[in-house]
Amino acid sequence: MRARRCLRSSAFPSPMRSVSRRLRKAAPAALNFGGNVVIKILSREVLHKSDIGGVAVNVSPRDSAATCRRMAEAFSTATNRRPEGFLVQELVTGAVELILGFKDDKQLGPSVLLGTGGIAAELYKDTAVRLAPLSRQDAEEMIGELKSAPLLRGFRGRPVADVDALVDTMLAFSNMVTSIGKNLLEAEINPLFVLPRGNGVKAADGVVVVADAEAGS
């Protein structure tokens, strides 16, 4: 949740969510969203929760209790730990999924990465990178370099995406990672949902890892 506070302090909009520390409270929370939801395991020990079955998408409220139980069992089997709780989140549809990340290149220095998001991020490796901090021109050029850029422009009848909001978000992310400085080890928003024009973006999930200045890690 520290990552969420950090991202929220930088004014990144996010989907509606509800945090439940106990399994029995997660299922009733799903009923409040008026439709299918996304459910995620909460854990500070595991950054990429989908790798161990810690993310379930398009879950109907009536299946939410069984889904939480399965996720908790899979998490415990993989980590020998109990989950810290469950995040029930609004299901976002009709958006383009991107990844927005930070990398500290040993030769070039701190950089911002934009690419195809979701679970396909590592598969397609469709990315663009610029040194931080970004200018508006940098952000616009990065968007244009993506192979998936046509999806943002209304490919095959899809709605045109809110590219202006995406640029603003990229600049805000760049400012955030620059302000954290040399102690920042990792930062990522994935997926970043880019909604149809006029509707902005939503940061569905994020990771921020900062070094402990005293411990050195």
Side-chain angles (χ1 to χ4, degrees):
M1 299 307 289
R2 291 177 183 176
R4 294 198 177 281
R5 287 196 295 270
C6 187
L7 295 173
R8 192 162 52 239
S9 69
S10 298
F12 297 111
S14 58
M16 294 185 296
R17 61 172 59 85
S18 174
V19 173
S20 300
R21 294 297 175 184
R22 296 183 180 180
L23 190 153
R24 62 183 177 83
K25 293 186 177 181
L31 297 173
N32 297 326
F33 287 82
N36 289 4
V37 296
V38 176
I39 300 177
K40 302 176 182 179
I41 288 285
L42 289 178
S43 171
R44 285 168 287 188
E45 305 297 325
V46 180
L47 297 183
H48 302 291
K49 301 171 183 63
S50 58
D51 293 344
I52 57 171
V55 179
V57 180
N58 202 20
V59 179
S60 70
R62 71 171 180 271
D63 294 334
S64 57
T67 298
C68 288
R69 282 194 294 271
R70 286 196 300 270
M71 291 171 66
E73 290 171 0
F75 181 86
S76 297
T77 299
T79 66
N80 291 320
R81 295 174 180 267
R82 296 178 61 184
E84 297 171 28
F86 299 87
L87 176 70
V88 182
Q89 195 173 61
E90 167 194 9
L91 179 66
V92 178
T93 59
V96 178
E97 292 186 38
L98 297 178
I99 180 174
L100 184 57
F102 161 86
K103 59 184 297 185
D104 192 359
D105 190 286
K106 293 182 179 179
Q107 294 181 332
L108 298 178
S111 304
V112 174
L113 174 147
L114 178 73
T116 301
I119 60 174
E122 295 182 8
L123 176 63
Y124 294 124
K125 300 186 184 302
D126 176 23
T127 61
V129 180
R130 290 290 189 282
L131 291 176
L134 299 182
S135 67
R136 182 166 290 272
Q137 180 177 344
D138 288 333
E140 292 171 349
E141 289 177 353
M142 290 170 69
I143 294 169
E145 289 175 11
L146 297 181
K147 296 175 184 176
S148 54
L151 296 176
L152 297 166
R153 304 187 191 112
F155 183 71
R156 291 194 173 181
R158 292 180 63 125
V160 176
D162 201 333
V163 175
D164 289 341
L166 172 58
V167 170
D168 290 341
T169 301
M170 293 171 66
L171 296 178
F173 182 85
S174 172
N175 290 337
M176 181 193 75
V177 299
T178 302
S179 67
I180 295 174
K182 63 181 181 180
N183 287 333
L184 180 62
L185 301 179
E186 181 179 356
E188 178 182 291
I189 300 175
N190 184 29
L192 174 66
F193 291 117
V194 187
L195 299 166
R197 187 162 52 194
N199 292 280
V201 303
K202 289 189 177 183
D205 207 350
V207 172
V208 178
V209 181
V210 180
D212 186 325
E214 295 182 358
S217 63

